[in-house]
Amino acid sequence: MAKKKNKKTIRLISRTALLLILAAIMIYAITSKDKVKVLAEGDTAPDFELVDLEGNKHRLSDYKGQGVFLNFWGTWCPPCKKEMPHMEDLYKDFEAKGVHILTVNVGEPKVKIELFRDDMNLSFPMLWDKNKTVMDLYNIKPLPTTFLINSEGKITKVIKQGMTEQQIYQYLESIQPK
């Protein structure tokens, strides 16, 4: 009888210890995940390298000394579709003034992005973040999200919504090098 009681006690202690170990592992996994920094105004924009639809490499650092309107988008996103023609209308004028529009598609098939570009008659660089690495680097939620980056590489504003043509114009103007 004492042996049975002893076995039950050992079994209870073993199960309790196992449950405590599993609980500790779960708590550690939840609390130790790498926290992605939320970028804010005044932060230095993280450098990255992506290719556009033609295969040309674009590094954010290549635009140092100029303004960058960095827009993250998806073909399925209604506000993205609405703001793209406004960006196209302003693209050439502001590029001549040292402000570049770079759009980053987040993880969609290249052919889908190309069809979108062609249907909308867009000519500005469309970068392809096929593995969503830059999306994760910039902690993008929701789409569209746009970062205004000044000539020193600092983020001056983060816009997490669609924009009108007037707003885009004002934002492009705000990051024009002096």
Side-chain angles (χ1 to χ4, degrees), residues 57-160:
K57 289 182 183 179
H58 294 262
R59 282 182 207 84
L60 183 61
S61 56
D62 291 343
Y63 296 92
K64 192 89 168 176
Q66 302 170 60
V68 177
F69 183 93
L70 182 63
N71 175 267
F72 291 84
W73 67 284
T75 60
W76 50 266
C77 163
C80 302
K81 291 177 188 176
K82 191 173 180 182
E83 68 186 8
M84 289 284 178
H86 303 313
M87 285 187 253
E88 180 63 31
D89 290 342
L90 299 167
Y91 165 60
K92 294 284 184 200
D93 287 340
F94 276 92
E95 187 177 48
K97 297 175 184 177
V99 179
H100 299 273
I101 293 176
L102 297 178
T103 63
V104 178
N105 179 275
V106 290
E108 293 186 87
K110 185 177 178 185
V111 68
K112 195 170 193 177
I113 305 165
E114 290 170 333
L115 287 170
F116 181 90
R117 177 200 58 197
D118 295 346
D119 286 346
M120 307 254 331
N121 292 316
L122 304 172
S123 62
F124 48 76
M126 296 187 122
L127 310 182
W128 186 31
D129 188 14
K130 70 178 178 178
N131 298 321
K132 299 183 180 181
T133 53
V134 178
M135 177 183 162
D136 292 341
L137 178 65
Y138 276 75
N139 198 18
I140 299 302
K141 293 175 191 128
L143 292 181
T145 293
T146 301
F147 289 83
L148 303 180
I149 303 167
N150 69 16
S151 58
E152 288 83 43
K154 299 284 185 189
I155 297 169
T156 62
K157 189 154 187 70
V158 181
I159 303 112
K160 294 184 176 233

